[in-house]
Structure formats: structure tokens, C-alpha cells
Amino acid sequence: MAEPTAAGGTAVGTSTEPRHAERARSIVARVLDRLADPAAVAADTEVLADASRDGDEQPLWTDLSLSSGFPGVSLAFSGSTRRGPGHAERAHAHLARAMAVLARERFPAGGIFTGPGSVAFATLVAHRATGGYVSALTRMDEHQRRVVRAALPRPRGTAPLATNGEFETVRGLTGIGRYLLARDADGDELRMVLSYLVGLAEGEILHRGRKVPRWWTLAAPKLGQEVEMPAGHLNLGLSHGVAGPLALLALTWRAGVRVPGQPAAIERLVALLARCAVPAGDGLWWPAYRTLEQWASEPDPDSPAQRPSWCYGVPGVSRAVQLAALALDRPDWHELTRRSVSGLLGTPIAEWGIDDPALCHGWGGLMHLLGLLAEHLDDARLPAVRDELAALVLAQYRDEYRFGFRSTMTRAAQGVDVPAFLEGAAGVVLALDAYAEGRTTAGWDQALLVV
């Protein structure tokens, strides 16, 4: 078995270093220096966002956020390979800012990407790196348990969900469940979450004259899409859809945390994803969602393929299916994973539609996910593809950028300097560090529900 690294990850058993490891280490060090001062990072992000937004109203900095705030930037230091005491000090500087905000403001219950949940996860990663933050974590554990008890939905009838934010990875109970698996696997609250997810996987409901899964939600995937799907949608992504609950049910099963009906729920979720997969030659891919009209018809093999990413598409969904295959020892599900990844690898990277180095929907996330998938996939192309993705990420670095990397997540033509975990420099650093050090699982990636 591979040995845990200092940062809590798993070292890959190989004698050869990744092709771009030295360049990656150099860039990681430079970017970490740019992220060191929390006050400057926050202030500069807001100034740069105002100058670059070009009408885009999406905030690029939120104090308490893994995606775009102090907790997420702290992960760049506590989650990367430690090379001296400066890592712990810098992580603490960002965490201290987050905790100060938490102490003076009230936040609604949410998942692990915003508010108190984001501070809890960032503190967990810092604890693993240093052994500290014990009392803070104890308080945060209790808060997360209270959130589950307060937010767990009561038994409902046959109506669709109002929003997938109830169950998903980013905003919902799946993300909280992953935190509890890391911190309180024997607690009642984790089993409450699992039982809730098992219940959603059972049977169908009638919606506008058609039978749909209980995962069906009336809200659109994004604001502004309501006109396109007045009957709601079924979200398939790892970030906001059913692949997230599948991953959590599989991870907990493998860890020995089990509730009645869990294997059947895993079966139904994989069957649901298999039904929605779009065939493409010998391979297949997953769309982001299905509308009511699409649900009633067979997947169209001539439709444009979904851009591959962590949040939506082949890499994220494939990892959830692979985790299910490992949990229940299902060779047929491993074959489903193989077909999806093989189809992706058979397409030139230039045709993947990626123009961003980030974790969420960029080359960095793909590089990390392919490393995880490779542990249980026999495909000789994977190391070379990961090296190519690393080269693409490194080519995006510019000394003149405030944080070294720019995100294309906004409508600003030139991109925006973002220090974030999901969509900016902190996440890019973590992916590059894991690549350079030959680590697959790295601790911080638990927030992504891929381990």
C-alpha cells in the first residue's frame, strides 16, 4: 500500500518523475508567494474584478468560500507539499481572517463550499498538515452536525425538489456528508444524510404526465435558463447533480459506513447515469443535465459533446461510477468507466473545448482526475495525456498576472486574475503540486467528492 505523504495524500508507486515536475514546482512556489498576504489577496481581487468584470455580476471574492475566499486560498498552503514552516504560517493567516469573519457575522446553513462549512473543511486540511486546530475542529464538527439536523428535509410527497442545492456536492448535504465521513464517520448525522440520499434514489414520481427520478428539480441549472426548461431538469454532474450522491454513497460503503438500502441506491444511480450516457463510437459521454423532453427520448449520438470537466461531463461522472465499481466490485461498471475515459482520450485535447487552467472546468482538474482514474484503469495513454495537460496549465502562467494564472470564467475577454480554489490560482497550484510530487489523492480533493 502507498504511504501517506506529509500533506495527507498518497504517493504513486513509480520511479520516474512526471515530465514537467521541476517546472511545476517552480511555478507552484511563485504562485504561493503571490497568495501569501490575505489582506492584499482579497483587496487586489476586488480591484481586479471591478476593472475586468465587463458587466459580469458574479462576485469573484467572498470572504468565506472555498471557491473564492480565505478558506479556499488557505488550502493552497495546507494542502500542498510542505517545504518549510512558511506553509503553515500562510495557511493560518488566511484561516485567521476567515475565523474572524465567522465570529462577527451570521451565515445561513449551507454546504462545505461557503460560510461555516468552508471554514470547517479548510481547518480540517490545516489540522492534517500541522496537528493543530483541535478545539476549533471540535466546534466545527458540532456545527456541521447541527446543520444536518436542521436542514435534513422532512418526508415529502410526490412533488419534484425545488432545487438540487438540497442534495448536491457544492451547496447541499452530499458535501456535508463528505466532511462528516472525514471527521465523524460513526455519528448519527452521517447516516441520516446517507438514508436521505437512499430515499431519493428509490422509485420515481409523476411530473407533468411523465415518470421522472426523485432527483428531479424544478430550478434550472443556471439563472437565466428557466425559460429553456420550465419543467425543471435532472442534473447529472458531480458538482450539482446525481454523480455527487453516488460518489458519497460509494465512498462511505468502502469505508464501512452503511445504511439499509445503500447498495440498491448505488445500483439505481449507476443505472440512471448509464441510461443518460450518450454513445460515441466505442466510447460514451455524459451531458450536464436532461430536460423533460430529453428524458422522454433516447440520447442523441449526434449532439455536441459536453465539455469534460470535474463539475460536468466525463471525468467527474466517470470517477463517481468508478468509485461505485470499487465499492460493490462491479466489473461492468469498471467497463462503463473505461469506455467513457477511452472515448475522451481518443479525442485530441485541442478538441475538448477547454481554455482554462482551473480545477472546476479546466486543464488542472482534468489532470488531477485522470491521475485518480488511472489507478484502476489500464490505459497506456494516461501518463502522456497528463503530461500534456500539465504543459498546457504551465503555459498559462504569466509573471505579469497578479496571481500567475487567469480564469476565463467571466465574460471579460482578457480573463480575470482570481486566487480561488475551484476557479483560480489556489486550485491550479494544488493540481500542479500533486502532479509534480506524484500524488493522486491529496486530502484537499475530498471537497470534490473524488476521494
Side-chain angles (χ1 to χ4, degrees):
M1 178 177 289
E3 291 298 321
T5 67
T10 301
V12 178
T14 176
S15 58
T16 59
E17 192 169 70
R19 182 177 179 183
H20 305 292
E22 281 305 312
R23 171 68 173 161
R25 291 190 188 102
S26 173
I27 296 302
V28 166
R30 292 189 205 180
V31 175
L32 288 177
D33 283 342
R34 294 165 184 240
L35 295 172
D37 183 342
V41 167
D44 291 350
T45 302
E46 291 171 351
V47 169
L48 291 165
D50 289 340
S52 307
R53 188 166 286 131
D54 193 24
D56 195 310
E57 297 181 357
Q58 183 175 5
L60 298 183
W61 181 266
T62 302
D63 283 345
L64 297 196
S65 170
L66 285 186
S67 300
S68 57
F70 294 120
V73 180
S74 79
L75 293 180
F77 299 102
S78 56
S80 57
T81 305
R82 290 178 291 160
R83 298 185 180 88
H87 267 53
E89 293 167 2
R90 291 173 172 183
H92 179 74
H94 283 275
L95 272 179
R97 287 281 180 141
M99 290 177 180
V101 174
L102 188 61
R104 69 173 181 262
E105 298 182 22
R106 295 182 65 85
F107 297 87
I112 60 168
F113 275 77
T114 59
S118 68
V119 183
F121 184 79
T123 305
L124 168 61
V125 177
H127 164 71
R128 288 170 171 164
T130 65
Y133 305 99
V134 174
S135 60
L137 264 183
T138 299
R139 294 193 301 272
M140 291 175 187
D141 293 347
E142 180 56 33
H143 178 271
Q144 294 302 85
R145 288 192 288 266
R146 288 199 304 269
V147 168
V148 169
R149 291 188 176 275
L152 198 73
R154 301 297 182 262
R156 58 169 56 85
T158 58
L161 303 176
T163 169
N164 42 322
E166 184 178 298
F167 66 78
E168 66 174 50
T169 295
V170 171
R171 297 173 294 172
L173 287 164
T174 291
I176 297 175
R178 186 62 188 88
Y179 176 86
L180 292 174
L181 176 60
R183 286 292 299 164
D184 189 18
D186 294 327
D188 292 339
E189 288 78 11
L190 176 55
R191 286 174 172 79
M192 291 166 67
V193 171
L194 297 178
S195 295
Y196 156 74
L197 296 176
V198 167
L200 282 181
E202 292 176 348
E204 296 177 313
I205 59 173
L206 193 64
H207 179 50
R208 298 199 178 189
R210 291 183 178 143
K211 289 183 177 181
V212 297
R214 290 185 178 274
W215 306 99
W216 202 271
T217 57
L218 295 176
K222 293 181 180 179
L223 292 176
Q225 291 183 317
E226 293 82 3
V227 175
E228 303 172 33
M229 49 193 78
H233 77 295
L234 172 68
N235 198 298
L236 305 176
L238 185 54
S239 57
H240 299 298
V242 299
L246 173 61
L248 180 62
L249 290 168
L251 287 166
T252 50
W253 185 266
R254 294 187 75 194
V257 183
R258 301 170 181 182
V259 297
Q262 193 168 345
I266 294 172
E267 291 255 7
R268 293 188 188 101
L269 279 165
V270 176
L272 176 60
L273 289 169
R275 170 179 172 173
C276 295
V278 181
D282 293 331
L284 54 89
W285 56 272
W286 279 281
Y289 54 80
R290 303 294 284 171
T291 65
L292 194 58
E293 293 73 23
Q294 291 167 337
W295 175 253
S297 60
E298 293 294 321
D300 180 7
D302 295 323
S303 58
Q306 168 69 35
R307 179 178 62 182
S309 64
W310 165 73
C311 49
Y312 288 108
V314 165
V317 178
S318 297
R319 179 57 176 172
V321 173
Q322 185 182 66
L323 289 170
L326 293 168
L328 298 188
D329 190 19
R330 290 289 296 267
D332 52 332
W333 297 350
H334 279 297
E335 174 61 15
L336 189 63
T337 303
R338 186 203 65 76
R339 286 184 59 200
S340 63
V341 175
S342 181
L344 178 64
L345 298 181
T347 304
I349 291 177
E351 298 177 16
W352 288 7
I354 308 296
D355 61 354
D356 192 296
L359 276 182
C360 182
H361 46 254
W363 295 307
L366 288 166
M367 178 177 66
H368 192 66
L369 273 165
L370 290 177
L372 288 166
L373 287 160
E375 291 186 309
H376 301 282
L377 276 178
D378 185 15
D379 194 313
R381 295 171 292 181
L382 280 164
V385 170
R386 292 191 72 228
D387 283 337
E388 188 174 350
L389 291 170
L392 287 168
V393 173
L394 293 167
Q396 295 293 303
Y397 176 82
R398 298 286 186 278
D399 270 329
E400 61 268 27
Y401 294 167
R402 172 61 177 86
F403 304 114
F405 292 98
R406 277 188 174 168
S407 169
T408 60
M409 62 180 282
T410 72
R411 290 193 291 267
Q414 73 274 27
V416 179
D417 297 80
V418 180
F421 170 64
L422 269 189
E423 294 161 325
V428 176
V429 159
L430 289 167
L432 284 174
D433 177 77
Y435 162 80
E437 303 305 325
R439 291 187 291 145
T440 49
T441 58
W444 54 264
D445 46 6
Q446 289 181 345
L448 305 178
L449 264 293
V450 295
V451 292

